[in-house]
Amino acid sequence: MVPKRGTWKYFEKLSHQYGPIVKVRMAGNDFVVLSHPSDVEELASGYEEMQYKESLRLLVDLVKSPAEFYKHCARFPASLVFSLTYGKGLGDDGKDLAEVQSIFTTFIRDVGPGAHLVDTFPVLDLLPDFLSPWRAEARQKHKWELEVYGRLALTVKARMGKDSEMECFVARLWEQQEKLNLSNEEIYYSKRSFFAGSAFAAGTDPATLTLLWFVVAMALYPETAKKAQQEIDSVFESDVLPSFSRMKDLPYCSALVKEVFRWRPAAPLSIPHYTDADDEYKGYKSSSKSIQILKGTTVIGCVWNMHHNEEDFPNSYTFNPERYLSKASDTGDIAESLTEGHYGFGFGRRKCPGQHMAAKSEWIAMVRILWGFNIERRMDAAGNIMDIDIEDCTPGLTARPKEFPVNFVPRSAAHIETIMLNEGRI
Ligand code: HEM
């Protein structure tokens, strides 16, 4: 029985007894407790090389087919998380990407507030199966998810047979399967832990959207883009690809990345959380001023409102990296500071576990794009600048701008040469 008080002390004892990864059962649910930062940040170790490789691939894609930038922005984070989870980048035929993306798009649509009538009227859930088509549909979708993630995880297992040194998150789970008493399904996909499928689904979509909002911002605020480019040019000339090594010399760029997270958060409602016990807010339980949160209520932490609070962020609708330049960092670490001063990664206990790796990935992608390209508004046949409607998003829990008209123009032949030369080396 897991004690309700001092649970962490109990977990400490378990970790001394059984090691850094332990599975426990609480209130009918399985939990996996990770005690070693290297397990939580498994996805962290050695990821800079992958970030370089995948952001270079993004630049190459933008040189080769700039009009398809929407697709390239989706591939970049997906391939990164894919490598960390399954030990290899996405296949070039686009099949892996299309499949996992469609799972996530369906998930986002389904968990949006009011997506199903049963979310609004939970009593409908008592109806038998034949009157509850949404239940059969949900089971069907889950089966399909398991099939996709299962296939990927089994491929890792097969590769481990040939390469015993293979390092990736799923390989580590297979190694520990017996010790942790994990079922195959738990390795494929588990909502309760940072496991394969869930990390992939949670990691790729918001990272793509953040990159797309960056492109929109650079097209709408060319003066800001120019300032960032001047800063980059003072550090990296056209024959050197930007790297993390000079991060501290690019404060304006880091502020710009933070401003993208704030200006258009990828998950403006964060992820709604379901309460499994009655709760109260600010010490009140039932007075006219209080908000009573009954068991079964969905709580939405509205990141959008937090980011558009004029007191904290004056002229909040304007994209303005300078607002972050004057703010001191809590930690003093530039990479970590990318996740401070906004709620783009959620808050509290459920804050995004991939935040540091994700923020750095966005940084390298954005800095490298600005180094190599100008992002320009497209003209129509009559020579007028085409409209970008930033309120025109696809429906769902995450904010995805509909395809918008911009051109990626390489800044010089020397920049292109550097990109292609580096590609040839890997
Ligand atoms: C720019 C990129 C990203 C953004 C903006 C982002 C944002 C978020 C947000 C807002 C949440 C919900 C937090 C909450 O419930 O309050 C979340 C959860 C999560 N994120 Fe991220 N994320 C990003 C990238 C990643 C990456 C790269 C990974 C994995 C490698 C990842 C893994 C997860 C997981 C597993 C959860 C679920 C945590 C839970 O339910 O306990 N995320 N993320």
Side-chain angles (χ1 to χ4, degrees):
M1 183 80 175
V2 176
K4 283 198 177 137
R5 272 168 197 272
T7 316
W8 48 92
K9 295 299 276 180
Y10 174 70
F11 288 160
E12 186 186 344
K13 227 162 72 193
L14 290 185
S15 78
H16 289 317
Q17 213 169 336
Y18 300 106
I21 308 183
V22 181
K23 183 169 134 183
V24 290
R25 202 166 170 77
M26 289 191 279
N29 288 307
D30 287 332
F31 289 79
V32 171
V33 184
L34 305 179
S35 300
H36 207 284
S38 66
D39 285 316
V40 184
E41 293 237 336
E42 146 79 28
L43 301 167
S45 61
Y47 65 71
E48 274 188 7
E49 275 317 307
M50 289 185 197
Q51 286 167 325
Y52 288 144
K53 187 166 163 241
E54 294 299 339
S55 56
L56 174 59
R57 164 79 196 247
L58 175 62
L59 299 188
V60 172
D61 288 345
L62 288 172
V63 170
K64 287 187 177 163
S65 52
E68 290 185 78
F69 71 90
Y70 215 84
K71 201 174 89 188
H72 306 325
C73 288
R75 190 188 196 283
F76 165 67
S79 201
L80 251 180
V81 182
F82 206 82
S83 302
L84 297 162
T85 314
Y86 301 111
K88 67 173 178 92
L90 286 168
D92 276 333
D93 62 6
K95 245 166 72 189
D96 296 330
L97 178 60
E99 223 161 20
V100 195
Q101 259 174 351
S102 69
I103 289 179
F104 195 64
T105 313
T106 313
F107 166 75
I108 284 300
R109 229 187 7 245
D110 287 348
V111 298
H116 297 282
L117 204 55
V118 62
D119 300 334
T120 314
F121 303 108
V123 66
L124 292 178
D125 206 24
L126 300 174
L127 291 172
D129 277 2
F130 75 97
L131 288 176
S132 320
W134 63 85
R135 207 177 294 137
E137 191 189 315
R139 280 198 198 112
Q140 193 55 36
K141 281 179 190 160
H142 188 57
K143 201 169 146 233
W144 166 54
E145 280 178 345
L146 282 177
E147 268 168 29
V148 174
Y149 293 133
R151 185 159 34 76
L152 291 167
L154 288 169
T155 313
V156 172
K157 198 175 181 184
R159 280 176 21 234
M160 286 166 72
K162 294 181 205 134
D163 173 8
S164 59
E165 301 281 283
M166 203 179 146
E167 249 309 318
C168 67
F169 196 62
V170 169
R172 192 174 285 183
L173 291 178
W174 282 123
E175 275 159 21
Q176 313 241 11
Q177 179 173 29
E178 208 172 303
K179 187 171 146 214
L180 296 173
N181 191 20
L182 292 172
S183 68
N184 282 4
E185 271 199 14
E186 282 170 306
I187 292 186
Y188 304 162
Y189 184 90
S190 163
K191 285 205 167 88
R192 297 220 164 259
S193 51
F194 197 9
F195 275 21
S198 62
F200 191 82
T204 57
D205 200 54
T208 302
L209 304 184
T210 307
L211 207 49
L212 289 174
W213 284 117
F214 155 76
V215 177
V216 173
M218 294 305 96
L220 294 180
Y221 295 87
E223 287 309 312
T224 305
K226 209 178 281 164
K227 252 186 172 168
Q229 284 173 327
Q230 276 163 1
E231 189 182 72
I232 296 169
D233 292 348
S234 71
V235 178
F236 296 105
E237 293 189 17
S238 58
D239 59 344
V240 185
L241 273 180
S243 64
F244 294 115
S245 63
R246 302 288 300 273
M247 211 171 178
K248 70 168 183 1
D249 299 316
L250 299 173
Y252 189 81
C253 289
S254 298
L256 185 151
V257 175
K258 286 172 75 150
E259 180 66 346
V260 175
F261 288 128
R262 185 205 67 83
W263 182 63
R264 292 277 144 171
L269 305 177
S270 195
I271 294 194
H273 293 298
Y274 183 82
T275 54
D276 51 13
D278 289 356
D279 206 345
E280 55 189 285
Y281 184 62
K282 288 198 167 166
Y284 297 95
K285 199 154 187 180
S286 50
S287 82
S288 58
K289 280 191 206 151
S290 74
I291 293 187
Q292 208 181 1
I293 305 171
L294 294 179
K295 178 178 170 180
T297 306
T298 302
V299 178
I300 298 175
C302 190
V303 171
W304 180 263
N305 289 350
M306 297 174 198
H307 285 183
H308 289 89
N309 164 355
E310 287 290 317
E311 229 170 84
D312 294 338
F313 304 107
N315 296 320
S316 66
Y317 286 87
T318 306
F319 185 88
N320 175 20
E322 257 120 54
R323 68 175 82 246
Y324 281 115
L325 276 180
S326 51
K327 285 189 186 160
S329 144
D330 294 346
T331 55
D333 180 295
I334 302 161
E336 277 189 29
S337 80
L338 296 174
T339 63
E340 295 167 6
H342 61 84
Y343 303 98
F345 291 99
F347 31 76
R349 276 182 302 147
R350 301 291 296 269
K351 205 168 173 191
C352 172
Q355 59 179 319
H356 295 301
M357 154 352 210
K360 273 184 81 177
S361 307
E362 297 290 327
W363 187 93
I364 195 72
M366 293 177 192
V367 168
R368 285 186 163 190
I369 289 177
L370 283 168
W371 165 85
F373 296 86
N374 289 323
I375 298 170
E376 294 176 358
R377 307 269 301 264
R378 219 176 276 163
M379 307 274 192
D380 64 15
N384 301 314
I385 292 179
M386 290 169 79
D387 211 26
I388 297 179
D389 180 0
I390 54 174
E391 305 310 332
D392 195 10
C393 297
T394 51
L397 196 63
T398 49
R400 173 182 292 273
K402 288 233 184 104
E403 288 207 35
F404 48 92
V406 300
N407 288 330
F408 278 78
V409 184
R411 291 182 66 209
S412 75
H415 286 91
I416 299 185
E417 199 182 326
T418 307
I419 294 170
M420 301 321 270
L421 264 176
N422 275 281
E423 199 223 5
R425 284 195 201 120
I426 55 171

